[in-house]
Amino acid sequence: MSHQKLLKILHAGALRKPVVECAKLLQDARPELKVELESYGSRACARQVREGKVVDILALADPMIFAELLGPEYIDKYYIFANDQIVLAYNEFSRGSGEINARNWFDILLREEVTFGRSNQHLDPCGYRTLMVWQLSEQYYGRRGLFKELDQICRGDLIYPKSYDLASDVLVGKLDYGFEYLCVVNQFGLRYLTLPEKINLSNPTYADYYSQSSVSLQGKNSGEMITIPGAPIEFAIAIPKNAENPVAAKDFLDLILSKQGQQILEECGLIPY
């Protein structure tokens, strides 16, 4: 198949629905185009590109990854197209869900019989953002040691490769709760608790407050660690320099940034930029 007819998109799991919807629209307009989608946690996506995977579009859940792992050799510019927040997702049978609220959620999560999960911070921005939310919560609620308590319970099998997998286990009741993006919760039709703005990473006004939290992650090269500060949640998209179908990639990029694309983002629970 010629490169002109195949559009390869690598995207964050959290962006599955908007990417699928935009790809469908593009295919309606250009029936000869075949679109191939793959998704992983955003950091895992970036690593694959660094290891030689060639794609036409890269849509990630944190613009910082473009700068830190991919610029300037693989990407020269990226576009921030939406923002989001971290919420606590649950299902109708989740233990404690009848009484959970923005003041007591951590007490319920710490109960012996309750299970909760998060995604892996080394693979997925939702994972490190969850750790930031826990750190900010310790300060916000004046609850010393809260981060450590949550972190010690949420280990092993409770840590998922990407937020999408985590949401499906909350949906089927394998977990009581999961820390998720609102857009993922909407895609799955899950119930959720909104956390205070000062801790949910949604509001650019609180950027300085968010930056009090930080997480250390595996860096560009193996064995190297970097520390990243908390920041408002943003999603970004780029066309890699070595894209084989830059023309169709540009059409896709224009679509997701257009009025029509923004409407799709809104329907998927994102806030378009």
Side-chain angles (χ1 to χ4, degrees):
M1 177 177 291
S2 80
H3 296 321
Q4 274 68 52
K5 299 214 170 65
L6 179 63
L7 177 68
K8 290 182 167 181
I9 300 177
L10 182 61
H11 65 87
L15 292 168
R16 183 181 159 79
K17 197 167 181 220
V19 167
V20 167
E21 297 292 323
C22 287
K24 273 189 207 151
L25 271 182
L26 192 60
Q27 270 183 314
D28 289 346
R30 300 182 47 176
E32 79 287 354
L33 192 66
K34 183 176 186 298
V35 182
E36 203 175 85
L37 303 177
E38 269 190 278
S39 68
Y40 302 90
S42 291
R43 288 184 79 79
C45 288
R47 285 219 183 92
Q48 291 186 21
V49 170
R50 289 182 57 80
E51 284 157 15
K53 191 185 197 80
V54 176
V55 296
D56 302 302
I57 283 280
L58 193 54
L60 304 182
D62 191 343
M64 187 207 72
I65 295 171
F66 285 117
E68 176 227 326
L69 292 178
L70 296 166
E73 44 200 313
Y74 301 96
I75 302 281
D76 47 17
K77 61 170 181 276
Y78 54 85
Y79 303 86
I80 293 168
F81 64 90
N83 58 7
D84 205 346
Q85 58 180 282
I86 297 286
V87 299
L88 186 57
Y90 58 94
N91 63 64
E92 58 194 313
F93 302 112
S94 296
R95 286 167 282 212
S97 63
E99 49 186 307
I100 201 164
N101 60 42
R103 288 178 305 282
N104 69 5
W105 58 267
F106 43 90
D107 292 321
I108 286 172
L109 294 189
L110 294 169
R111 287 178 185 170
E112 195 105 348
E113 73 278 7
V114 171
T115 57
F116 66 96
R118 66 172 176 88
S119 56
N120 183 332
Q121 73 272 30
H122 297 296
L123 302 175
D124 187 17
C126 193
Y128 55 75
R129 286 166 169 157
T130 298
L131 295 174
M132 290 162 175
V133 166
W134 295 354
Q135 288 174 26
L136 293 167
S137 299
E138 178 166 329
Q139 182 176 335
Y140 182 82
Y141 295 102
R143 175 79 186 249
R144 283 187 61 170
L146 177 60
F147 173 81
K148 201 171 170 190
E149 285 179 82
L150 293 168
D151 192 39
Q152 281 174 338
I153 293 174
C154 191
R155 292 277 164 102
D157 293 353
L158 300 170
I159 299 179
Y160 288 70
K162 58 179 190 285
S163 57
Y164 207 80
D165 310 326
L166 170 64
S168 54
D169 271 9
V170 174
L171 185 69
V172 298
K174 273 176 89 173
L175 286 173
D176 293 309
Y177 298 92
F179 287 85
E180 280 293 350
Y181 295 125
L182 181 56
C183 70
V184 172
V185 163
N186 283 345
Q187 288 172 48
F188 278 86
L190 286 163
R191 299 176 179 205
Y192 65 93
L193 172 71
T194 304
L195 300 168
E197 277 194 354
K198 272 194 148 175
I199 62 175
N200 72 8
L201 305 179
S202 70
N203 190 338
T205 318
Y206 293 124
D208 287 349
Y209 190 84
Y210 298 155
S211 71
Q212 298 172 86
S213 62
S214 67
V215 174
S216 86
L217 299 171
Q218 291 152 6
K220 218 177 220 187
N221 309 308
S222 69
E224 171 187 51
M225 295 299 279
I226 55 155
T227 299
I228 60 163
I233 294 170
E234 295 174 330
F235 294 134
I237 189 167
I239 300 173
K241 288 180 173 177
N242 63 349
E244 289 175 342
N245 193 344
V247 177
K250 176 83 169 70
D251 290 345
F252 184 87
L253 184 77
D254 290 345
L255 176 60
I256 212 163
L257 300 173
S258 71
K259 272 272 179 284
Q260 200 176 11
Q262 292 186 324
Q263 203 175 337
I264 288 173
L265 295 172
E266 269 179 14
E267 285 161 10
C268 295
L270 285 158
I271 301 161
Y273 242 58

